[in-house]
Amino acid sequence: MRKYLKVWWLYTINSFQVQLNVRWAFVLFIFAKILRFAAFIFFLVVLVKSTKVLAGYNLDQVILFFLSFNLLDILSQLIFREVYRFRAVILSGNFDYYLMKPLNPLFRSLFTGADLFDFATLIPLIFALLYFINKLQLLDIIHLSSYFLMLLVGLVIALSFHIFVLSLGIFTTEVDNAVFVYRDLMGMGRVPVDIYMEPIRGLVTFIIPVGIMMTFPAKSLMGLLSLSSLVYSILFAAFLFYLSLNIWKIALRNYSSASS
Amino acid sequence: MSKYWEIFRITWQQFLIYRVNFVIWRLRTIMQLLLVYFIWWSVFKSQVQVFGYTASSILTYILAASLIRTIVLSSRASDLIDSINTGSIVNFLIKPLGFIRYFLTRDAADKLFNIGFFIVEISLLILLLKPPVIIQTDIAILIPFFLSIAGGLIIYFCINFIIGLTAFWVESSWGVLFLMSVFLESLGGGLFPLDILPKNLFSALMLTPFPYLIYFPAKLYLGGMNYSEMLNGFVVIAIWILVLILLMRIIRDAGFRHFSAVGN
């Protein structure tokens, strides 16, 4: 475990140094992300101030859903950034080196490109979340515990999806758009999934499962999540993780080296 | 002319090589559309009119905006960044090919390919969701609508191309490109009609090129825009096109003067 932590840290610092080489581009990236975030919040405020509610939620609750979505989205981008570079690794044949080294290739492919620039956007987001949690009077141990539990469930599902994307990369070499499909799917959770009509709502809640990842944490924080939904979410995440690991193993068995 | 036809054909063939990538790309646009569609659909479950829009006008706006996005925002001009970074741009210096025309041809191929897919997707969505859409049949509205789309795609091509040309001087132009896409996403009118914004902000925005890429054509399609607003819009589009084309040519020439290549 210590070895893996040390390797992760070295790769993270290395990746940060590479980013610093084109630091102004990354400053623009951060600025653009903040602008996108602010524009969507602004839209929600203008919209819900006029309509009073969106899918039965008031403005503060809608903003809490959006902030919670962003927390999970940024966390998964920060942690699993290396997946975005996997296609080049497969096409160049460099994945052979991953297999030869005494380091789990899944760990190498998932975690070794953590994006510290994303970390900078995480801090103001956490303060904003705390502000709205306090405003909605949800600062108690039971609500917060279930919130963290559901965040963890969301991260396990995100991890599973990223493993699926890596496996798809080995099978087809087409990772780039697949990872962005995942991002767009998750983007459907920027607002509570209650806005969708059936059967899309059921599909994005339980099957895909945007609702479990993005809507359930905020719902559990507000005390709106039933115990059966919570248990289902945990079992679903565990099953998805198990499935993704098995598909990864099959993908590894099917890997044939590329390049010259 | 035939050489540009070949470029068009080759671009289509390239799309067909990476079929899964393309299908996944289209899947992404459907998901983006569904999010915006259902936010507004949900609003109108409990309201009859919001910001002066009815359910049918706003849902028509969202679907029209999606069509316009497909036509205007599908572009290969950002490939220019790779051409400059990898040095393959030297091909344009030694081959009898128009530099800008080459990228325009690739853009046209990209747009036609995307439009084909969009027609199938939107037909399916309309069949499944049955939105109360307005079918515009007034030729006096449809002509300015198509003209505004043409204006929008020229503006978008020029902006993208200018950003691509910055690769002559900087190592990574992707930050600028990403910033531009966010500006478009937020201020282009794809998420909401811009006239729901506070009046001062809306008036200021209408002086920038962004609303003319999605909002202005979509709003034209709905009808109800008076002649003076329409005329103002087209004047701003014409000014931006002139400024951007001039800027594009100046930067292109400066870029080629600055560019040096080594190797065999």
Side-chain angles (χ1 to χ4, degrees):
Chain A
M1 185 67 186
R2 273 188 66 189
K3 180 182 92 175
Y4 276 89
L5 272 176
K6 193 177 173 189
V7 169
W8 177 83
W9 178 246
L10 287 173
Y11 271 114
T12 301
I13 292 298
N14 188 30
S15 147
F16 189 57
Q17 283 173 339
V18 171
Q19 288 178 337
L20 284 178
N21 279 332
V22 282
R23 69 197 78 158
W24 73 270
F26 278 91
V27 170
L28 283 181
F29 265 107
I30 296 290
F31 175 68
K33 282 181 176 182
I34 293 169
L35 179 74
R36 184 171 57 184
F37 172 82
F40 201 81
I41 284 259
F42 184 69
F43 165 61
L44 288 178
V45 171
V46 170
L47 184 70
V48 185
K49 266 197 170 168
S50 167
T51 60
K52 307 291 179 236
V53 287
L54 182 70
Y57 298 100
N58 65 31
L59 180 60
D60 288 342
Q61 289 174 315
V62 170
I63 291 177
L64 188 65
F65 275 110
F66 182 57
L67 293 175
S68 186
F69 156 80
N70 274 283
L71 178 64
L72 206 65
D73 189 48
I74 294 175
L75 275 175
S76 60
Q77 276 191 69
L78 191 155
I79 300 169
F80 309 123
R81 176 63 77 183
E82 189 63 13
V83 173
Y84 294 71
R85 305 183 186 106
F86 192 63
R87 184 173 188 239
V89 174
I90 290 290
L91 288 182
S92 62
N94 281 343
F95 190 62
D96 295 4
Y97 295 118
Y98 287 19
L99 296 170
M100 285 157 56
K101 286 179 182 161
L103 189 72
N104 187 316
L106 183 57
F107 173 85
R108 175 72 178 89
S109 312
L110 275 171
F111 299 115
T112 53
D115 188 344
L116 288 185
F117 274 103
D118 272 334
F119 190 72
T121 56
L122 204 58
I123 297 160
L125 178 72
I126 289 171
F127 277 108
L129 252 173
L130 285 174
Y131 171 78
F132 278 95
I133 290 173
N134 187 41
K135 197 176 175 196
L136 288 162
Q137 297 178 325
L138 302 167
L139 262 178
D140 65 79
I141 193 76
I142 297 173
H143 286 128
L144 285 177
S145 310
S146 63
Y147 181 61
F148 285 121
L149 177 66
M150 288 312 294
L151 276 183
L152 192 66
V153 166
L155 274 178
V156 171
I157 295 175
L159 168 66
S160 312
F161 269 117
H162 282 89
I163 297 173
F164 282 133
V165 169
L166 291 175
S167 309
L168 186 72
I170 292 178
F171 285 124
T172 70
T173 73
E174 302 195 35
V175 175
D176 296 6
N177 274 334
V179 81
F180 283 109
V181 164
Y182 157 79
R183 296 286 309 279
D184 286 332
L185 271 175
M186 295 309 115
M188 290 176 83
R190 278 193 277 184
V191 286
V193 290
D194 307 64
I195 68 159
Y196 299 102
M197 64 158 66
E198 289 294 359
I200 297 175
R201 191 191 308 163
L203 190 75
V204 296
T205 304
F206 297 109
I207 310 293
I208 291 184
V210 181
I212 294 178
M213 286 179 74
M214 300 304 183
T215 299
F216 280 15
K219 271 193 169 180
S220 70
L221 185 60
M222 292 178 220
L224 301 173
L225 191 70
S226 66
L227 186 64
S228 57
S229 297
L230 191 135
V231 172
Y232 173 82
S233 309
I234 295 169
L235 292 176
F236 186 91
F239 171 72
L240 207 65
F241 183 55
Y242 171 78
L243 191 68
S244 66
L245 284 180
N246 279 295
I247 289 181
W248 171 253
K249 282 177 194 162
I250 295 170
L252 279 188
R253 278 200 292 274
N254 280 280
Y255 173 68
S256 56
S257 184
S259 190
S260 55
Chain B
M1 189 62 198
S2 65
K3 61 191 171 194
Y4 294 105
W5 168 246
E6 284 305 313
I7 291 166
F8 185 95
R9 224 171 46 83
I10 290 166
T11 307
W12 268 51
Q13 282 173 346
Q14 283 172 342
F15 286 140
L16 292 172
I17 293 170
Y18 299 105
R19 286 184 293 271
V20 178
N21 242 8
F22 190 81
V23 170
I24 290 177
W25 162 254
R26 291 309 311 171
L27 201 63
R28 293 187 61 197
T29 61
I30 296 175
M31 283 185 290
Q32 286 162 0
L33 169 63
L34 284 180
L35 171 72
V36 182
Y37 179 91
F38 278 110
I39 288 178
W40 286 105
W41 178 81
S42 164
V43 164
F44 281 97
K45 271 203 299 189
S46 55
Q47 316 265 335
V48 178
Q49 200 169 49
V50 179
F51 306 115
Y53 287 88
T54 60
S56 68
S57 60
I58 202 77
L59 295 179
T60 304
Y61 174 90
I62 294 303
L63 295 177
S66 181
L67 166 70
I68 297 159
R69 278 176 86 108
T70 301
I71 300 172
V72 175
L73 306 192
S74 50
S75 171
R76 308 300 305 174
S78 55
D79 291 352
L80 177 60
I81 297 173
D82 281 335
S83 300
I84 297 172
N85 287 343
T86 59
S88 65
I89 199 160
V90 290
N91 287 320
F92 294 102
L93 299 173
I94 53 172
K95 287 180 184 168
L97 264 180
F99 181 49
I100 294 175
R101 267 175 286 178
Y102 168 81
F103 281 98
L104 266 175
T105 311
R106 282 178 62 81
D107 252 29
D110 194 325
K111 286 179 199 305
L112 272 176
F113 209 74
N114 275 287
I115 290 169
F117 272 79
F118 181 81
I119 290 168
V120 177
E121 293 155 13
I122 202 72
S123 309
L124 282 174
L125 284 180
I126 288 176
L127 269 174
L128 290 171
L129 304 174
K130 298 184 178 60
V133 286
I134 299 165
I135 305 293
Q136 189 56 262
T137 52
D138 187 347
I139 196 82
I141 288 175
L142 288 174
I143 290 173
F145 167 66
F146 286 115
L147 278 177
S148 67
I149 290 180
L153 65 89
I154 297 171
I155 290 177
Y156 185 68
F157 175 81
C158 293
I159 294 176
N160 243 354
F161 205 81
I162 289 169
I163 292 173
L165 287 171
T166 60
F168 276 123
W169 292 274
V170 296
E171 205 174 319
S172 172
S173 301
W174 295 108
V176 190
L177 206 62
F178 181 60
L179 183 62
M180 217 277 288
S181 75
V182 169
F183 263 111
L184 260 181
E185 202 182 298
S186 316
L187 309 173
L191 185 58
F192 54 87
L194 298 176
D195 54 359
I196 72 168
L197 292 172
K199 202 163 175 48
N200 289 342
L201 182 58
F202 173 67
S203 304
L205 258 182
M206 290 307 284
L207 296 174
T208 70
F210 302 111
Y212 300 95
L213 303 179
I214 300 172
Y215 165 75
F216 185 68
K219 186 76 183 171
L220 268 175
Y221 180 84
L222 289 182
M225 196 183 274
N226 62 43
Y227 281 108
S228 112
E229 286 172 325
M230 215 186 282
L231 189 68
N232 276 346
F234 278 107
V235 168
V236 178
I237 287 177
I239 292 171
W240 273 114
I241 288 176
L242 283 175
V243 170
L244 289 168
I245 286 180
L246 194 68
L247 205 60
M248 188 168 72
R249 286 176 183 274
I250 292 171
I251 297 175
R252 177 199 60 184
D253 295 343
F256 274 131
R257 278 198 299 274
H258 175 79
F259 181 69
S260 59
V262 289
N264 47 28

